[in-house]
Amino acid sequence: MIRKQEITTFEFPENAVIWDVRDAKAFAEGHVKGAVNQPIDGLDANSLNQVASDQPIYILCGGGSKAPRAAEQLEEIDSSRDYVVLMGGTRAVRDAGLPLEHGM
């Protein structure tokens, strides 16, 4: 199931799995604390096997266009999982004055 959540009003649960689906360069320039770089081009069943099947996967990108596509791609692989698209992405976080981490 794919759900959507506005990123600037969302509080991540402890030990949340957060996938930033941008390329490594964009990820290094700034990302949400705790996010893991999982570029959209590399998403596959092996990516999903790294996460417990009952754990929601929070997906974001730079501005909100790649994350919904990534969620759809992942749902085609395993529709039994819970995917949460974080709308607005890192751009919305930055614009709201919230902290971003830099580097890998």
Side-chain angles (χ1 to χ4, degrees):
M1 175 175 74
I2 298 174
R3 295 182 291 129
K4 294 182 178 181
Q5 174 71 47
E6 185 61 46
I7 193 167
T8 55
T9 60
F10 182 69
E11 294 200 21
F12 294 103
E14 192 172 327
N15 299 319
V17 175
I18 308 163
W19 285 0
D20 188 320
V21 296
R22 298 174 297 155
D23 63 45
K25 182 178 183 278
F27 179 81
E29 290 172 357
H31 56 272
V32 172
K33 181 179 181 178
V36 174
N37 190 215
Q38 287 279 7
I40 191 170
D41 295 339
L43 295 176
D44 58 17
N46 289 333
S47 305
L48 287 175
N49 289 338
Q50 299 171 22
V51 179
S53 61
D54 63 343
Q55 177 111 24
I57 299 174
Y58 300 91
I59 305 167
L60 71 144
C61 57
S65 61
K66 282 184 186 170
R69 285 194 327 236
E72 289 170 8
Q73 189 175 324
L74 291 167
E75 189 171 56
E76 285 180 18
I77 297 168
D78 185 348
S79 62
S80 68
R81 289 179 176 260
D82 190 19
Y83 306 102
V84 181
V85 175
L86 298 171
M87 302 304 293
T90 54
R91 194 171 303 131
V93 171
R94 183 193 64 225
D95 291 349
L98 300 170
L100 291 174
E101 294 186 333
H102 300 279
M104 297 301 286

